[in-house]
Amino acid sequence: MIKIEQLVKTFRTDEVETTALNRVNLDVKKSEFLAIMGPSGCGKSTLLNILGLLDNPSGGNYFFDGVDVSNFKEKQRTNLRKGNIGFVFQSFNLIDELTVFENVELPLLYLRMPSSQRRKLLEGVLERMKIGHRSKHFPQQLSGGQQQRVAIARAVVANPKLIMADEPTGNLDSANGEEVMNLLSELNTDGATIIMVTHSPTHAERAHRIVQLFDGHVVAENLRKN
């Protein structure tokens, strides 16, 4: 599903050039659950942003479903993300002025899906995430665990091929973190490909494979026995 070859990402200012990713090679298969680990500043989030088509690499190749997207313009990346990639962030990134229902509905509006079809999908995903009874509430009225379930519902409502999770349990207590990991594991069992950045060795154990980054390099890969 994903293949990157000799991927480089460099950030430049007037005085400093920083290499965040240095000739990274990585394959991700369809329906795989991949965890990316490493110390702060090693390039994890930079890699996730490129894989999620939020940014372009400075060099190397990135193939998404066989298409070289390395040099896509912003509009091309946006169009490819729609319906193909869902995002779950540590800080939830919900819109405070919208209800739970409206937050989860956003990806379907971008896809210009008819109202009746949107409602059917929304009701189904909200119930699956056990948040249907909160559909008219606003994010500030929810616990952290409930907000992350809403964020996951928004990420998966359009049935994307790929789910990108950036520290999805980072702002949660252990019980809610475990609940979120259970949801991600269920989605993966149902066929979703998941790439997750995490600092938690326990949560990384849920993945099929763990990739370790250090100073912009892949320094180890561990295949899990699930």
Side-chain angles (χ1 to χ4, degrees):
M1 182 180 192
I2 283 177
K3 183 178 183 66
I4 60 175
E5 300 172 332
Q6 298 291 298
L7 201 75
V8 174
K9 183 62 179 181
T10 304
F11 295 100
R12 293 181 177 88
T13 65
D14 291 340
E15 299 178 354
V16 180
E17 178 176 294
T18 303
T19 300
L21 297 173
N22 194 350
R23 300 189 181 281
V24 173
N25 297 294
L26 184 67
D27 291 349
V28 183
K29 297 179 181 178
K30 183 179 178 181
S31 299
E32 185 175 9
F33 191 159
L34 177 72
I36 301 173
M37 300 191 72
S40 296
C42 71
K44 300 187 303 296
S45 293
T46 300
L47 178 58
L48 203 71
N49 286 340
I50 291 173
L51 295 178
L53 298 172
L54 296 173
D55 198 4
N56 276 347
S58 305
N61 297 308
Y62 173 20
F63 296 93
F64 185 90
D65 268 352
V67 178
D68 189 349
V69 299
S70 311
N71 297 308
F72 268 27
K73 303 297 184 184
E74 184 175 353
K75 185 175 181 180
Q76 291 175 295
R77 296 200 310 269
T78 299
N79 288 335
L80 187 54
R81 284 198 307 268
K82 291 178 184 177
N84 285 314
I85 303 176
F87 294 90
V88 182
F89 301 97
Q90 177 179 349
S91 56
F92 317 134
N93 284 15
L94 301 176
I95 299 174
D96 290 340
E97 294 77 17
L98 300 182
T99 65
V100 166
F101 188 95
E102 291 166 339
N103 266 283
V104 179
E105 186 181 29
L106 279 176
L108 305 183
L109 292 174
Y110 294 146
L111 291 172
R112 298 182 180 179
M113 188 176 289
S115 176
S116 59
Q117 190 177 354
R118 290 202 309 271
R119 179 167 291 276
K120 184 177 180 180
L121 286 174
L122 283 160
E123 289 174 351
V125 75
L126 289 174
E127 287 305 317
R128 180 175 185 181
M129 298 298 154
K130 301 178 182 177
I131 203 74
H133 63 296
R134 297 284 194 177
S135 64
K136 295 182 180 179
H137 287 69
F138 291 91
Q140 306 96 315
Q141 298 173 301
L142 307 178
S143 69
Q146 289 172 331
Q147 288 187 60
Q148 194 59 296
R149 291 206 300 273
V150 175
I152 293 173
R154 181 183 59 190
V156 304
V157 67
N159 194 28
K161 298 176 182 178
L162 177 64
I163 298 171
M164 314 295 290
D166 193 358
E167 295 284 359
T169 62
N171 283 341
L172 304 177
D173 58 32
S174 58
N176 279 308
E178 194 65 18
E179 188 174 333
V180 164
M181 289 308 304
N182 288 338
L183 287 171
L184 291 175
S185 294
E186 288 174 13
L187 291 166
N188 176 245
T189 298
D190 289 345
T193 304
I194 298 177
I195 301 177
M196 176 181 70
V197 163
T198 182
H199 278 105
S200 169
T202 301
H203 292 162
E205 292 287 334
R206 297 289 197 100
H208 301 146
R209 184 163 49 117
I210 302 172
V211 170
Q212 297 278 353
L213 284 184
F214 187 78
D215 285 350
H217 297 272
V218 173
V219 294
E221 290 191 39
N222 301 311
L223 191 64
R224 307 303 308 159
K225 293 181 179 180
N226 294 318

